[in-house]
Amino acid sequence: MASIAIESDRRAYQVAAMPIRMNEERRAEICLVTSRSTGRWIIPKGWPMKGLPDPEAARIEAKEEAGVVGIAFPDDVGSYTYWRRTRIDFRLTRVDVYALKVKRQKKRWKERDQRTVRWVSLLEAADLVLEPELSTLMLNLPANVTACDFLGIKASIKF
């Protein structure tokens, strides 16, 4: 039986981007990608990068995993935890999430052949991800006035 450990080393947390764009009907869409190991739907995430602020690291992860180019909101919009699988056990890992205002999606990017990318509504994204805390974070995004102003959505986000 695999052991369960709580992450206690220097890599106790990850950073993630929640890439958001507005579709033709001015409805918000979130970019989800599949994880490489299990194929479940997630948002682009990775480890903090030495010498870079966490929002910048999240922006880079989104570019590498989903090919999206944009500007990261300087403050996290929340965090969630998940059990990260290692070779020998599972580690509880916190993920700080940064909204990313997407300007465009590249035709080619680093992990294009390793992941599937899908643009979906906030409600569909909240339904597709398996982490309950991440679903809640997505559903609470319209109440984050500062983040919505940053994203250019002066009124509430349309579902």
Side-chain angles (χ1 to χ4, degrees):
M1 177 180 265
S3 65
I4 295 177
I6 294 181
E7 185 77 17
S8 61
D9 67 3
R10 65 178 178 81
R11 298 182 348 159
Y13 75 100
Q14 291 183 303
V15 296
M18 188 184 304
I20 300 171
R21 71 177 184 190
M22 300 302 286
N23 68 14
E24 304 81 35
E25 291 131 15
R26 299 292 303 153
R27 294 191 183 278
E29 294 181 325
I30 292 181
C31 180
L32 297 180
V33 297
T34 52
S35 70
R36 287 188 292 197
S37 59
T38 64
R40 72 188 192 288
W41 290 107
I42 61 171
I43 56 177
K45 65 179 169 48
W47 298 108
M49 298 176 188
K50 188 174 183 174
L52 289 179
D54 289 347
E56 180 66 9
R59 185 191 67 76
I60 291 169
E61 289 294 339
K63 184 178 176 183
E64 291 177 356
E65 295 182 11
V68 293
V69 177
I71 302 167
F73 186 56
D75 300 317
D76 67 73
V77 294
S79 63
Y80 69 96
T81 56
Y82 78 105
W83 288 101
R84 180 174 49 87
R85 184 183 313 209
T86 71
R87 281 184 270 140
I88 58 171
D89 60 14
F90 290 87
R91 309 260 171 128
L92 186 61
T93 305
R94 185 186 87 230
V95 182
D96 294 337
V97 179
Y98 297 87
L100 182 76
K101 182 178 183 176
V102 175
K103 292 185 174 187
R104 66 184 176 90
Q105 187 169 17
K106 298 173 77 171
K107 291 181 180 175
R108 296 175 191 258
W109 61 91
K110 186 175 181 179
E111 298 181 15
R112 183 177 134 196
D113 297 329
Q114 300 170 32
R115 302 176 186 273
T116 301
V117 175
R118 187 168 168 193
W119 287 95
V120 296
S121 70
L122 288 171
L123 289 174
E124 190 174 356
D127 190 46
L128 287 171
V129 297
L130 296 179
E131 295 83 4
E133 293 172 38
L134 178 55
S135 292
T136 300
L137 193 110
M138 290 173 172
L139 294 175
N140 288 337
L141 186 63
N144 187 328
V145 176
T146 310
C148 289
D149 284 347
F150 167 79
L151 294 166
I153 309 161
K154 297 297 181 192
S156 63
I157 293 177
K158 296 177 185 176
F159 292 99

